[in-house]
Amino acid sequence: MAAAAYELLVLGGGSGGLAGARRAAELGARVALVEPLRLGGTCVMWNTAVHAEFIHDHADYGFETPGVKFNWRTIKEKRDAYVRRLNDIYENNVKKAHIDIIRGYGKFTADPEPTIEVDGKKYTAPHILIATGGRPAVPADSEIPGASLGMTSDGFFDLEELPRRSVIVGAGYIAVEIAGILSTLGSKSSLLIRHNEVLRTFDSLISSNCTQELENTGVDVWKHTQVKGIAKSPHGLLDVTVSSAVPGHKPTEGVIRDVDCLLWAVGRLPNTEGLCLDQVGVQVDPNGHVVVDEYQNTTRRGIYAVGDVCGRALLTPVAIAAGRKLAHRLFEGKQDSRLDYENIPTVVFSHPPIGTVGLTEEEAVAIHGKENVKIYSTSFTPLYHAVTQRKVKCVMKLVCAGKEEKVVGLHMQGLGCDEMLQGFAVAIKMGATKADLDNTVAIHPTSAEELVTLR
Amino acid sequence: MGSTLRKSQAVRQAPGGAPPERRSPAGGFFSGLTSSEQNWQFCLYQQEMLLPRLTLYWSGNAFILAPAVMITGLFAELAELNRLVGNHPQLFFSWVSFLLGGAPKLREGQREAAAETSQPVVSVRKKQIGDHERTLKAHKEEDNPQKTMEVNGLTPVPDSYDYDLIVIGGGSGGLAAAKEAAKYEKKVMVLDFVKPTPQGSSWGLGGTCVNVGCIPKKLMHQAALLGQALQDSRKFGWQFTEEVEHNWMTMTESVQNYIGSLNWGYRVALRDKKVTYENAYGEFVGPHTIKATNKKGIEKLYTAERFIIATGERPRYLGIPGDKEYCISSDDLFSLPYCPGKTLVVGASYVALECAGFLAGLGLDVTVMVRSILLRGFDQDMANRIGEYMKEHGVNFIREFVPVKIERVEEGTPGVLKVTAKSTAGDQMIEGEYNTVLLAIGRDPCTRKIGLDKVGVNINEKTGKIPVNDVEQTNVPYIYAIGDILQDKLELTPVAIQAGRLLVQRLYAGATTKCDYVNVPTTVFTPLEYGACGYAEETAMEKFGEENIEVYHSHFWPLEWTVPSRDNNKCYAKIICNIQDNERVIGFHVLGPNAGEVTQGFAAAIKCGLTKEQLDNTVGIHPVCAELALKTVTLVGRQVKTGIATGIDLPLMSGLSGYGHSPALAGVFEEESVKEKSLWPFCCVVSLPKATWPLSNPTRTKRPVADLPRLSPPGASRSDGGKEYPELEAIHKDHQGPTPGPAQNSPKSGTRVEFKGFSLSHTINLI
């Protein structure tokens, strides 16, 4: 195949790469996609755990449910089938869009024009998009002895059985989601966090409420705790040595025994090492993230990057949107087409789910000054729990700034907050003020109506 | 309380005694009396309405009547006095001090009349009437109070009303208004009274929404969803061996307990806000005057400067033999002390479909009898999809029939009822036996028996609804109305609440904001939930013209339904835009789980003037249903380009919908020779091969689904079992596009496809 046949080369068949490649193809560009592995990844597991919670409530709603058990294999098979189907769909779509798939790992060469080499074959194009994504970080064995005995979120989805005893390390959203799923499905789970709350980059309302909800659902949260070492016990299980250091107290050491699942969720690393970016002068930051401007341009003309590899807003739809915007800019002549990274809505599938968009209260105060920020918040028990013994509250916070009380942030955790967020994100993106929300008639009875009746 | 006392004292201490022209409106019936005489009369008139204990004082000593009269404004408190004396010692002492304050001097005639057998003795216009009985008799024979008042040209004196505001009806709207008014330190009373249903059901404070509407129906809908969740959970890996059964009583008791706690909460809230609450039926008897009749039939009169009518609506009955005797309504269903069993739901209102939906979801055999269309007033495309989904989930529909007779075959809880129904199209009659017949054919406003004729408030004679101006004012300036009883307004709890609050803020806080009845979001809790905001497609066409609106739509399959692999291609989102106004979104419709939660935020965005472009520019949240609503395809082909830009985004969704072949077909379409301006069937065909297309536009109605069987790749799964649509024939012509790739089973870009089978023929290009 002639190297110059393509107008766009995409490295990585994740969401961002796919979206950019397909949009470019639609706009008439000749595109090739370099991807060594399968595509996909989902959050089906979360739904399973939601069912677990609902089953607890069935009796309150009049259902007589005798002896309920959970079968991990069933859900795993379903999930795998679903993911396989998604893979197929993606692949079909790519083919139908006349995008060539080049199987293998691509890397930049030292040629004067940016060139990609895959399995000894060279390809070039005026535009090259890096969308190789990221992978979960695992501490080195030299740092924490036995660290490699643990798994990551990738391994989690390959588990054949529900672990009996799980230890999750990390305080980010992946840690929170997985701890919630495992615990709700019946695995005795401990979450080890370095500080006293999870999700510390979120609004304080969310971090404190989420930490509390984790504990309420039975996750054993070890605060101010770090892993010191991991050893394989005689029966093939893991013994995890931890050290807890509450500020002002002497550190204490402890061992969590007979762990069959130790999961690292301590961050993600960008997949940039193998790309030989230095060959083409694409700059990376100290953590390996590709440095890009707001138009996704790297430091080398004609090379762009989207998604996790840039280390910014690690969310699937962000990568997708950025990829598409870029395609419009490159192949449709829309010079200003770029993704606005402000007000990107985020959902964490914790139990109950978290929805958040815009500035946290702390950020808003830092930007607008304390006197210009007005906070509205509420905490209530959703109607669903009116008749159930299990009560899980819903908390909401609206961050408003300026005289006109423009809504600059929305943070909530509770049943249905995932679905509630999208529309409000649109409104906030449009510059909605508190008065606009007040002037919106409530939908009764929903939880979302609280957001238009905050006082 | 204190302020009332002062008010009464002010009347008494008016300079030069009580001036004749200064009359309390309550005294209007006996005009011509001095103020003290009026008070006498008023007291007398009220005698029957006072509590027994109070009456004792009266008959015991006529001399203490007059001071007692001074606190007529306190009747409500007096009524509560027996119970509340501990809470209100200051009131008690004030009252006692009045009693001890000495009686006014008796007039000549009265002194003479002391010989009468029964006390007190009453004079009107210096003419002695007689004792209690005679006075009552005289009153009944007299002109009605309003007329008397008018004849005498009396204008009410604001200072002397018992209340600043009386709200008739303690539902969502009334309570919101009352509590808001109390915030501005107004003296407020709420009258609430529930007339039991023909089956004897009754409930507490809070109105329809709380007791027999939104709250219980959503909880029972939730119970039905949990039933579905149980079935789904097997596919999610949960194992339970025995059959799961549903216990109606457990559910109903839980729901009723919750409602009970709300009723209590409302009463406490009123007390905290110092709003007087009477469980009594309010009925206007004269200007600014209302009669309150409690459960025991005891009547009291109250006056107020302003009134808000918020009486709401009650279910309509058919007016056929056996309906009131044997049928239940939504007023009975939520507290039914037995499982209703095999149920016939009559009607196609949202109440009918919601009840039918959750009853079927609880495993009951449910039939819905529909006279004409489903969900009148809602977008008919969406309404039909809801009906379709219910049908697939086991709800039977009998269309174009109305019941003519209900008979009881067997007594019991439930018994057996025989329903005879007649076709609306011909003379055909059918019969059926059911355990329960639930009427949900509509609701009538409670406006005909509250004395509106006495004060001259206009109602629509046909519907009973009250017309109001844009500030919720009736034709009688001091009487306002809010909620479901308003003509041409929305029957929704939050609308009533908003209207009530804003009205009170305008009355007492100098606010100017009016209640906006446009772009009000709503949700219907049918098994497939429906959320909507703004115009229905047909209303939008009517209002803006078909050529000026653009409709974007998409089907989606919620992620959580994929694992149990059910109901693919059922969830649906539709956005209606006004082309003339920068493609502003004027209608938002979504069918799917949590539709209400999804819609609220979009409603806020629409309120801010959302356009299609802004919608497109919002980053989706993955993976939630609301995200899917963002990705909408074009429906009307004229605006092809816009449609395609989004249309082509759909691979994942179409894939989720179980149509692996759809994305192949989604492409940029261009009309070539189109004899009709719209290309809609083909966009629909191409992106959504299976959709049935029940559009409301008559020229489009019931047109067969445009499917392209030949264009589907082999092995594509279809939930309709690969049904053929012989009306349509798709001819694959002219491969003009780029060289086909290896796995291409469907037309390439650039393929020209001709569709036949309609009355007209279209040729379109896939470019």
Side-chain angles (χ1 to χ4, degrees):
Chain A
M1 200 171 290
Y6 299 111
E7 285 164 85
L8 174 68
L9 274 174
V10 179
L11 288 173
S15 305
L18 273 173
R22 294 192 54 238
R23 182 55 58 86
E26 283 155 20
L27 295 169
R30 193 88 181 97
V31 184
L33 190 77
V34 184
E35 170 60 50
L37 302 168
R38 64 173 193 180
L39 325 161
T42 70
C43 342
V44 182
M45 289 312 220
W46 183 75
N47 278 293
T48 306
V50 168
H51 276 258
E53 292 179 336
F54 286 165
I55 282 170
H56 298 154
D57 300 330
H58 270 86
D60 294 317
Y61 273 95
F63 288 96
E64 287 147 10
T65 336
V68 180
K69 277 195 320 206
F70 175 68
N71 186 327
W72 177 269
R73 255 170 220 279
T74 313
I75 177 63
K76 183 177 176 334
E77 280 160 20
K78 294 269 170 201
R79 192 200 75 98
D80 289 350
Y82 176 74
V83 172
R84 270 198 303 277
R85 231 177 85 211
L86 280 184
N87 295 155
D88 291 349
I89 289 166
Y90 276 130
E91 200 156 325
N92 275 334
N93 289 339
V94 166
K95 283 180 181 161
K96 277 163 193 159
H98 305 289
I99 297 168
D100 290 335
I101 301 177
I102 302 167
R103 289 286 174 197
Y105 289 94
K107 63 174 188 229
F108 285 95
T109 66
D111 291 281
E113 282 307 305
T115 304
I116 303 277
E117 190 185 310
V118 185
D119 287 341
K121 251 179 143 178
K122 284 188 179 180
Y123 302 87
T124 186
H127 304 289
I128 298 177
L129 174 61
I130 305 169
T132 46
R135 62 182 190 282
V138 175
D141 277 355
S142 55
E143 230 176 293
I144 300 174
S148 59
L149 293 168
M151 65 172 78
T152 65
S153 52
D154 295 347
F156 170 73
F157 291 113
D158 292 332
L159 282 173
E160 293 294 330
E161 292 293 340
L162 177 68
R164 289 157 44 113
R165 183 75 177 89
S166 314
V167 172
I168 299 103
V169 189
Y173 77 93
I174 297 174
V176 165
E177 289 183 353
I178 290 181
I181 292 168
L182 286 173
S183 164
T184 317
L185 292 181
S187 175
K188 182 162 167 41
S189 308
S190 301
L191 180 65
L192 312 188
I193 59 176
R194 278 192 302 175
H195 300 275
N196 68 331
E197 280 175 351
V198 297
L199 301 176
R200 297 199 326 134
T201 56
F202 286 64
D203 189 273
S204 59
L205 173 79
I206 299 298
S207 3
S208 63
N209 192 67
C210 185
T211 310
Q212 207 180 350
E213 288 299 348
L214 277 167
E215 290 175 327
N216 290 348
T217 50
V219 175
D220 179 21
V221 183
W222 294 52
K223 297 170 184 172
H224 307 285
T225 299
Q226 279 173 295
V227 178
K228 286 287 157 206
I230 298 138
K232 217 170 192 124
S233 72
H235 0 322
L237 298 170
L238 303 176
D239 288 342
V240 183
T241 310
V242 299
S243 134
S244 301
V246 180
H249 293 266
K250 258 176 90 180
T252 52
E253 282 218 349
V255 181
I256 308 173
R257 294 192 188 280
D258 298 333
V259 172
D260 49 5
C261 167
L262 172 78
L263 197 143
W264 296 107
V266 290
R268 291 177 70 81
L269 300 174
N271 292 328
T272 49
E273 305 93 340
L275 296 176
C276 306
L277 291 173
D278 50 330
Q279 301 267 32
V280 281
V282 170
Q283 205 183 322
V284 294
D285 72 9
N287 295 322
H289 293 121
V290 177
V291 177
V292 289
D293 66 8
E294 53 188 346
Y295 289 93
Q296 316 297 146
N297 294 316
T298 66
T299 47
R300 172 77 188 251
R301 201 180 157 78
I303 303 181
Y304 320 89
V306 297
D308 291 11
V309 77
C310 313
R312 215 175 152 184
L314 313 179
L315 298 163
T316 302
V318 172
I320 292 175
R324 285 187 186 148
K325 293 281 182 190
L326 178 67
H328 281 286
R329 182 164 72 87
L330 298 181
F331 300 107
E332 208 186 21
K334 289 191 174 170
Q335 294 305 314
D336 293 334
S337 175
R338 67 179 178 95
L339 179 67
D340 180 0
Y341 280 86
E342 262 179 37
N343 292 329
I344 290 173
T346 311
V347 161
V348 177
F349 289 96
S350 49
H351 298 256
I354 292 167
T356 161
V357 60
L359 303 179
T360 65
E361 182 178 345
E362 296 84 345
E363 287 167 346
V365 167
I367 293 172
H368 300 280
K370 196 164 176 54
E371 65 286 359
N372 294 320
V373 173
K374 177 111 197 251
I375 303 295
Y376 296 88
S377 57
T378 180
S379 169
F380 60 96
T381 306
L383 183 63
Y384 173 84
H385 291 295
V387 303
T388 64
Q389 285 183 356
R390 185 175 70 100
K391 306 272 183 209
V392 181
K393 64 177 191 263
C394 180
V395 295
M396 294 172 165
K397 182 195 267 189
L398 209 53
V399 184
C400 303
K403 246 191 221 119
E404 72 284 14
E405 296 200 356
K406 188 176 164 192
V407 181
V408 295
L410 167 61
H411 312 277
M412 50 191 178
Q413 182 174 22
L415 198 64
C417 285
D418 45 345
E419 296 291 357
M420 267 175 242
L421 183 63
Q422 187 80 74
F424 284 98
V426 176
I428 291 170
K429 184 98 188 165
M430 292 173 61
T433 61
K434 177 69 173 58
D436 289 327
L437 295 193
D438 293 344
N439 289 336
T440 304
V441 176
I443 303 181
H444 190 68
T446 61
S447 291
E449 70 180 308
E450 299 292 331
L451 285 173
V452 296
T453 52
L454 282 173
R455 298 197 148 194
Chain B
M1 317 280 154
S3 66
T4 316
L5 286 173
R6 278 195 299 280
K7 221 180 269 173
S8 300
Q9 283 161 342
V11 173
R12 193 168 60 155
Q13 289 160 5
E21 70 280 5
R22 192 167 162 80
R23 292 176 177 96
S24 130
F29 328 133
F30 303 96
S31 35
L33 298 186
T34 65
S35 104
S36 105
E37 281 167 333
Q38 281 175 352
N39 284 333
W40 271 86
Q41 299 302 343
F42 189 39
C43 263
L44 182 63
Y45 185 78
Q46 300 250 342
Q47 184 177 2
E48 283 192 329
M49 303 155 207
L50 290 174
L51 291 175
R53 183 157 144 196
L54 200 52
T55 318
L56 195 69
Y57 285 111
W58 280 59
S59 48
N61 185 348
F63 287 80
I64 63 165
L65 286 176
V69 161
M70 294 305 170
I71 50 166
T72 50
L74 283 176
F75 275 131
E77 287 79 357
L78 284 174
E80 294 266 294
L81 189 63
N82 290 334
R83 273 179 289 148
L84 298 182
V85 78
N87 296 342
H88 301 280
Q90 78 281 21
L91 166 67
F92 185 73
F93 289 125
S94 313
W95 189 52
V96 168
S97 70
F98 265 113
L99 296 183
L100 300 175
K105 250 174 93 181
L106 289 177
R107 289 174 179 276
E108 282 298 303
Q110 287 165 338
R111 201 171 286 146
E112 285 165 24
E116 288 272 356
T117 48
S118 133
Q119 290 175 318
V121 178
V122 172
S123 306
V124 174
R125 290 178 201 167
K126 295 182 182 164
K127 180 185 152 212
Q128 187 181 315
I129 305 279
D131 66 358
H132 170 219
E133 271 154 39
R134 286 187 208 175
T135 309
L136 268 192
K137 188 162 164 271
H139 169 58
K140 276 175 193 150
E141 288 164 0
E142 276 271 332
D143 296 335
N144 72 49
Q146 188 201 351
K147 206 168 161 197
T148 315
M149 217 167 164
E150 282 167 3
V151 167
N152 290 286
L154 289 176
T155 44
V157 183
D159 268 3
S160 57
Y161 296 117
D162 301 338
Y163 289 93
D164 295 313
L165 177 68
I166 290 181
V167 179
I168 313 163
S172 309
L175 290 179
K179 284 188 267 186
E180 191 75 14
K183 242 170 58 183
Y184 304 113
E185 304 195 329
K186 295 294 157 187
K187 192 155 183 280
V188 187
M189 168 180 255
V190 171
L191 296 174
D192 185 59
F193 191 83
V194 178
K195 283 197 171 168
T197 69
Q199 298 296 316
S201 309
S202 182
W203 50 88
L205 183 62
T208 300
C209 167
V210 172
N211 294 285
V212 289
C214 322
I215 299 293
K217 74 121 183 271
K218 187 172 183 192
L219 288 171
M220 292 197 178
H221 166 68
Q222 186 60 58
L225 289 184
L226 286 172
Q228 177 72 60
L230 269 178
Q231 290 170 30
D232 291 352
S233 59
R234 287 185 197 269
K235 295 275 177 66
F236 274 99
W238 293 98
Q239 296 173 328
F240 32 91
T241 41
E242 293 162 58
E243 274 298 295
V244 179
E245 281 174 9
H246 186 262
N247 184 320
W248 174 272
M249 282 318 294
T250 309
M251 173 183 73
T252 310
E253 274 168 24
S254 312
V255 170
Q256 289 301 322
N257 284 342
Y258 178 66
I259 291 173
S261 74
L262 291 179
N263 297 146
W264 172 247
Y266 285 123
R267 293 193 65 151
V268 171
L270 287 183
R271 192 167 299 177
D272 286 350
K273 303 233 168 169
K274 305 221 178 355
V275 174
T276 310
Y277 160 63
E278 285 239 7
N279 184 202
Y281 189 87
E283 195 177 344
F284 285 100
V285 290
H288 295 271
T289 309
I290 198 153
K291 179 174 80 177
T293 312
N294 75 6
K295 231 182 259 174
K296 293 177 186 135
I298 294 173
E299 297 179 348
K300 292 182 209 170
L301 277 199
Y302 298 105
T303 61
E305 186 187 6
R306 292 188 175 102
F307 291 85
I308 295 178
I309 311 170
T311 46
E313 297 185 310
R314 296 290 293 270
R316 186 179 302 153
Y317 280 78
L318 285 160
I320 58 166
D323 66 341
K324 288 200 174 168
E325 292 91 321
Y326 309 125
C327 298
I328 63 165
S329 71
S330 55
D331 282 356
D332 305 295
L333 180 66
F334 304 110
S335 57
L336 204 63
Y338 53 85
C339 178
K342 184 183 174 189
T343 303
L344 176 71
V345 178
V346 183
S349 60
Y350 76 89
V351 180
L353 297 191
E354 286 177 339
C355 292
F358 75 70
L359 290 175
L362 296 176
L364 303 181
D365 179 346
V366 178
T367 304
V368 183
M369 187 174 284
V370 183
R371 192 184 50 165
S372 60
I373 60 167
L374 302 181
L375 296 175
R376 189 178 300 278
F378 288 89
D379 187 294
Q380 283 300 297
D381 169 25
M382 306 307 266
N384 290 329
R385 288 166 188 275
I386 291 171
E388 211 44 49
Y389 182 92
M390 288 176 70
K391 218 188 252 175
E392 280 169 31
H393 282 252
V395 178
N396 309 305
F397 281 87
I398 301 175
R399 301 292 289 254
E400 300 186 344
F401 270 89
V402 283
V404 290
K405 189 168 59 173
I406 319 282
E407 293 158 291
R408 179 144 73 190
V409 178
E410 219 175 89
E411 283 200 41
T413 52
V416 178
L417 301 174
K418 187 170 94 178
V419 180
T420 312
K422 184 177 171 300
S423 164
T424 56
D427 294 333
Q428 197 194 342
M429 303 287 274
I430 51 168
E431 279 182 2
E433 288 196 351
Y434 302 90
N435 295 117
T436 299
V437 177
L438 173 72
L439 299 183
I441 52 169
R443 299 171 63 81
D444 288 323
C446 305
T447 51
R448 296 188 197 272
K449 291 177 183 162
I450 54 171
L452 292 181
D453 49 329
K454 300 246 173 58
V455 282
V457 172
N458 287 341
I459 61 170
N460 178 325
E461 277 311 322
K462 207 172 138 213
T463 60
K465 295 241 176 189
I466 302 180
V468 291
N469 61 15
D470 63 347
V471 288
E472 283 85 26
Q473 195 173 29
T474 69
N475 62 309
V476 177
Y478 67 90
I479 300 177
Y480 300 81
I482 54 171
D484 294 2
I485 53 173
L486 297 191
Q487 181 169 296
D488 303 326
K489 297 284 185 333
L490 296 149
E491 299 174 14
L492 292 168
T493 297
V495 173
I497 293 175
Q498 183 122 331
R501 274 209 193 115
L502 292 175
L503 167 62
V504 167
Q505 286 168 7
R506 288 192 305 268
L507 293 180
Y508 299 120
T512 51
T513 314
K514 292 169 185 172
C515 184
D516 185 357
Y517 293 91
V518 178
N519 286 336
V520 171
T522 183
T523 187
V524 179
F525 291 100
T526 35
L528 184 63
E529 293 173 15
Y530 172 36
C533 182
Y535 288 97
E537 191 176 336
E538 45 275 69
T539 1
M541 278 189 201
E542 215 172 89
K543 176 145 176 138
F544 299 96
E546 198 177 334
E547 66 287 358
N548 291 325
I549 64 161
E550 182 70 279
V551 182
Y552 298 90
H553 77 152
S554 79
H555 282 220
F556 59 94
W557 199 16
L559 181 62
E560 55 269 41
W561 290 6
T562 57
V563 165
S565 64
R566 67 171 164 95
D567 298 314
N568 59 6
N569 220 24
K570 289 292 178 298
C571 294
Y572 183 73
K574 179 161 91 173
I575 286 156
I576 301 161
C577 303
N578 181 358
I579 297 167
Q580 300 301 323
D581 186 16
N582 196 22
E583 283 212 275
R584 203 167 299 288
V585 177
I586 53 169
F588 174 93
H589 304 268
V590 61
L591 287 176
N594 294 308
E597 306 289 5
V598 170
T599 306
Q600 184 76 74
F602 286 100
I606 289 171
K607 201 85 188 171
C608 297
L610 180 69
T611 63
K612 178 66 171 66
E613 196 191 353
Q614 287 169 320
L615 197 57
D616 292 342
N617 283 335
T618 306
V619 175
I621 303 171
H622 186 73
V624 300
C625 291
E627 176 195 24
L628 301 172
L630 274 179
K631 303 179 177 177
T632 44
V633 204
T634 194
L635 164 61
V636 181
R638 203 177 41 68
Q639 296 288 310
V640 174
K641 277 188 190 136
T642 343
I644 293 329
T646 43
I648 220 148
D649 289 351
L650 288 171
L652 175 67
M653 193 182 344
S654 325
L656 285 175
S657 310
Y659 294 99
H661 53 311
S662 334
L665 298 170
V668 180
F669 302 102
E670 198 175 71
E671 285 175 278
E672 197 181 71
S673 62
V674 177
K675 286 160 196 154
E676 201 182 56
K677 65 173 182 245
S678 145
L679 190 57
W680 65 270
F682 308 115
C683 288
C684 159
V685 165
V686 174
S687 59
L688 308 159
K690 189 246 160 183
T692 41
W693 203 247
L695 270 189
S696 46
N697 183 323
T699 62
R700 299 174 177 183
T701 310
K702 290 180 185 164
R703 193 175 278 185
V705 173
D707 199 353
L708 299 175
R710 295 192 191 183
L711 304 184
S712 306
S717 71
R718 295 227 330 237
S719 65
D720 60 350
K723 193 177 154 207
E724 297 274 337
Y725 297 93
E727 308 94 315
L728 272 177
E729 197 184 1
I731 301 164
H732 213 144
K733 279 208 310 200
D734 296 3
H735 284 264
Q736 293 175 339
T739 322
Q744 301 283 327
N745 294 306
S746 34
K748 303 296 131 343
S749 289
T751 305
R752 179 174 296 180
V753 184
E754 196 178 348
F755 299 84
K756 280 184 177 171
F758 293 103
S759 52
L760 58 149
S761 163
H762 289 232
T763 304
I764 60 167
N765 255 340
L766 287 89
I767 55 173

